[in-house]
Amino acid sequence: MLTRRGMLAASALGLVSPGVVSQALGQVLRKPVHIIVGFPAGGGTDVMARILADKLRGPYASTVLVENKPGAGARLSVEYVKNAEPDGSVMLFTPEVPITVYPHTYRALSYDPLRDLTPVAPTVRSMLTYNIGPAVPQEVKSLADFVRWCKANPSKAAYATTAAGGTPHFVGVMVASAAGVSMTPVHYRGGAPALQDLLGGHVPASINPISETFSLAKSGTVRMLAVTGSRRSPFLPDVPTMREQGYDVVIDSWIGLFAPARTAPAIVSALSAAIAEASKSPDMAENLAKFGSEPNFETPEQFAARVGADIARWGPVVKASGFVAED
């Protein structure tokens, strides 16, 4: 019978499949596994981490816990995983911003996402939505209509964001640039206050993660003009993408799982295999649908390529905005 070390070595040599390694790890990895989340308990990222943890219990390890380490815009959580033992027991569950955007917004970042982390899988696929409220006339029904309204009302041309330096902020920059119009970002601390001011008519538009808006759009509470995905959301099939409307702004948001750098490839393969199985689970899809999100899976190699491409893509956008984050 192969020992755990022997099983990992055999997988690295291609002598056993990742699925077999995953099963073996689930039997012998008795050290509790911690999924680190850089946001408070109860938020969307935290809840989705717990959905994933339920699916990894058994196939990957006997005990999988979610540990919240909020602070510094989730940078503390990345630093924690960066410094963790690369033994498969600590991993990071994070949206893309701390990984792909922060390298461009902070003058001095305490981690290098390409050097200090090992991409495992983008476990959740999502997108952003472009919304307007009662401050905008009812005859505005498309993104092009809104752009025309902004040009006719330059003093009112503004959009709410969920935070300065986040993807909603920079999506607004991209749309304004593509449309040739000036729009002022109005930064809030989270999606709830931004949407409250949108619905109150204090700001004409708001850009939010779909998890914050899709239920409001279904009820007609907000007027959703576009989604940023490469394809329409299955939860809002009547809302067109930005690209469909002539604006080359495509953002497929993800929440991904990362291990510390130098984690053994066999451990990464075992974890990847467990996530691949989880992504096929109907109840995982059902639970993520409550947030307007879908299960997502790519191999570690594919995800690493995506992370590198996303880091490269955000650089020119952030530079054009002139934004620099405060340390």
Side-chain angles (χ1 to χ4, degrees), residues 156-168:
K156 300 178 181 179
Y159 64 95
T161 81
T162 57
T167 48

Side-chain angles (χ1 to χ4, degrees), residues 17-286:
S17 72
V20 172
V21 177
S22 178
Q23 184 179 7
L25 281 172
Q27 294 169 351
V28 302
L29 191 59
R30 302 195 183 281
K31 183 177 181 180
V33 170
H34 294 260
I35 297 177
I36 307 301
V37 175
F39 302 91
T45 303
D46 171 74
V47 173
M48 286 186 266
R50 295 176 192 279
I51 292 170
L52 178 64
D54 286 342
K55 290 300 176 184
L56 295 182
R57 248 175 239 119
Y60 180 68
S62 57
T63 302
V64 182
L65 306 170
V66 173
E67 186 173 347
N68 303 91
K69 291 190 175 296
R75 285 176 288 159
L76 295 182
S77 63
V78 183
E79 292 171 10
Y80 182 87
V81 174
K82 165 191 169 181
N83 296 319
E85 287 295 323
D87 60 1
S89 67
V90 176
M91 59 199 74
L92 175 71
F93 186 78
T94 182
E96 71 267 28
V97 175
I99 305 300
T100 64
V101 177
Y102 283 2
H104 307 294
T105 57
Y106 284 93
R107 290 190 178 95
L109 200 60
S110 61
Y111 57 86
D112 181 329
L114 295 177
R115 184 189 63 214
D116 297 328
L117 299 173
T118 299
V120 179
T123 59
V124 178
R125 177 187 180 270
S126 188
M127 60 188 71
L128 304 176
T129 64
Y130 205 108
N131 322 284
I132 57 174
V136 181
Q138 285 294 326
E139 56 264 27
V140 173
K141 299 184 181 298
S142 69
L143 202 52
D145 289 345
F146 181 64
V147 167
R148 284 190 288 270
W149 181 84
C150 288
K151 290 180 177 179
N153 300 272
S155 63
K156 300 178 181 179
Y159 64 95
T161 81
T162 57
T167 48
H169 175 187
F170 296 123
V171 164
V173 171
M174 295 167 75
V175 170
S177 175
V181 64
S182 178
M183 297 184 190
T184 302
V186 182
H187 303 304
Y188 291 80
R189 290 183 177 273
L195 288 170
Q196 184 177 359
D197 270 10
L198 176 73
L199 297 176
H202 303 297
V203 63
S206 181
I207 303 173
N208 301 76
I210 193 172
S211 60
E212 298 174 349
T213 56
F214 84 107
S215 61
L216 297 175
K218 284 190 171 185
S219 67
T221 307
V222 301
R223 292 143 63 196
M224 193 174 289
L225 300 181
V227 295
T228 64
S230 55
R231 55 179 170 82
R232 295 191 184 197
S233 167
F235 311 106
L236 296 167
D238 295 330
V239 180
T241 66
M242 290 189 172
R243 178 174 279 175
E244 286 180 82
Q245 299 182 70
Y247 300 91
D248 192 21
V249 178
V250 179
I251 305 296
D252 284 314
S253 300
W254 48 260
I255 303 178
L257 200 69
F258 295 81
R262 299 177 302 281
T263 298
I267 293 176
V268 175
S269 294
L271 183 53
S272 173
I275 294 170
E277 287 302 312
S279 69
K280 302 172 187 176
S281 167
D283 61 322
M284 183 171 180
E286 182 180 348

Side-chain angles (χ1 to χ4, degrees), residues 114 119 298-309:
L114 295 177
E298 292 175 347
T299 66
E301 295 77 17
Q302 291 169 329
F303 187 35
R306 176 184 293 275
V307 170

